[in-house]
Amino acid sequence: MTLRLYYHPFSSYCQKALIALYEREVPFQPYLVDLGNEHERGGFAAIWPYAKFPVLTNDTPSETIPESTPIIEWVDAIGYDTPRLIPADPAEARGVRLWDRIIDNYLHSPMQKIVGDRLRAEADRDPLGVREARATIATTYELIERRLPASGWLGGAQFSLADCAAAPPLFYLSLIAPFAERFPRLQDYFHRLVARPSFARCIEEARPFRAFFPGAEGGAGWPDETAEAAPAADRLAF
Ligand SMILES: N[C@@H](CCC(=O)N[C@@H](CS)C(=O)NCC(=O)O)C(=O)O
């Protein structure tokens, strides 16, 4: 079995799949796709017509698995000796899958809407759509703040599919829809996510592409470059 992941390190949905691969320690070939290159986009569209990543392929048996959640379900079902990302208990698994849907639909996609709008020409912008996206994100922040366990993870005591889904959009949202001041429990959770080795690895691999991100809100900085995140020695150096 040889797995190949079509992806880009800066893409938040690809990071969602990467976190799962790293958590479960599944070997795979990373295959970086430059969607800005027409030739590469065309080749990728032959694999998955929507030309959206991540897409995971396997050679034996030959199969193509698009979409981050089915990829994680697939990765989770492999008989590896690492902790599973979807609980065995059916009720707990339903809870984790519900959070995965909430995060993708009401946090991740609205985040893409805001970022995508900034990348458009002025004449093509959609201010109403962006306001609606911000309202949806605010509702999700409130829901997480109310429902998140004080310690632990979104779906319960174990790190799960739900946390794979939440980490990447929260990272980019910390720049364009900051939550630290109004949502302390969410902020604590975010710190736990950033410290998780699987996601910390994604952050490092995406770092070279930060210049492509279209601007932060109100001077917010990358979470690991703010004064709060800097080591004490750096903060004290005049
Ligand atoms: N529902 C998909 C969303 C994938 C998605 O939106 N990927 C983005 C990158 S984060 C993409 O490929 N964008 C390129 C494009 O739309 O041209 C999933 O869960 O994988």
Side-chain angles (χ1 to χ4, degrees):
M1 177 175 81
T2 303
L3 301 178
R4 173 182 278 188
L5 184 74
Y6 293 85
Y7 86 122
H8 192 285
F10 202 58
S11 145
S12 45
Y13 273 108
C14 294
Q15 290 175 5
K16 175 179 163 185
L18 282 168
I19 294 169
L21 287 158
Y22 294 155
E23 285 284 335
R24 297 228 64 212
E25 298 174 21
V26 175
F28 66 98
Q29 296 175 345
Y31 192 95
L32 197 149
V33 185
D34 176 4
L35 288 177
N37 175 312
E38 279 312 305
H39 180 68
E40 285 191 35
R41 176 180 278 273
F44 184 48
I47 296 168
W48 180 230
Y50 298 102
K52 284 186 187 288
F53 36 46
V55 172
L56 188 70
T57 60
N58 184 21
D59 61 347
T60 27
S62 172
E63 50 191 331
T64 299
I65 308 114
E67 295 280 317
S68 56
T69 297
I71 290 174
I72 295 178
E73 295 266 3
W74 195 94
V75 165
D76 201 51
I78 297 181
Y80 273 60
D81 199 17
T82 42
R84 300 282 298 264
L85 295 166
I86 299 167
D89 176 77
E92 284 178 29
R94 267 199 307 280
V96 161
R97 289 190 173 100
L98 174 60
W99 270 120
D100 175 64
R101 293 300 77 224
I102 292 169
I103 297 296
D104 275 15
N105 291 323
Y106 306 125
L107 201 69
H108 207 152
S109 293
M111 181 278 282
Q112 283 185 320
K113 172 72 185 173
I114 300 172
V115 174
D117 199 72
R118 292 177 178 198
L119 295 169
R120 288 178 175 178
E122 192 74 42
D124 295 330
R125 297 229 167 121
D126 173 17
L128 175 60
V130 168
R131 279 203 301 280
E132 287 171 347
R134 285 191 174 280
T136 303
I137 288 166
T139 302
T140 309
Y141 285 172
E142 276 159 25
L143 190 70
I144 296 175
E145 188 73 11
R146 267 192 285 124
R147 299 278 178 90
L148 188 74
S151 61
W153 303 100
L154 200 48
Q158 302 301 321
F159 188 91
S160 76
L161 161 69
D163 306 296
C164 299
L170 284 174
F171 191 81
Y172 291 119
L173 281 166
S174 72
L175 293 167
I176 57 172
F179 44 81
E181 287 187 8
R182 284 188 50 213
F183 301 100
R185 196 171 272 222
L186 171 58
Q187 177 68 1
D188 278 356
Y189 170 60
F190 179 60
H191 280 145
R192 290 199 294 283
L193 289 172
V194 168
R196 185 89 179 173
S198 56
F199 186 47
R201 183 171 169 187
C202 292
I203 294 170
E204 279 317 305
E205 290 168 352
R207 188 182 294 278
F209 303 96
R210 285 186 177 183
F212 294 112
F213 195 79
E217 200 75 15
W222 291 98
D224 52 352
E225 290 175 359
T226 56
E228 193 200 339
D234 283 353
R235 265 183 275 149
L236 292 176
F238 291 95

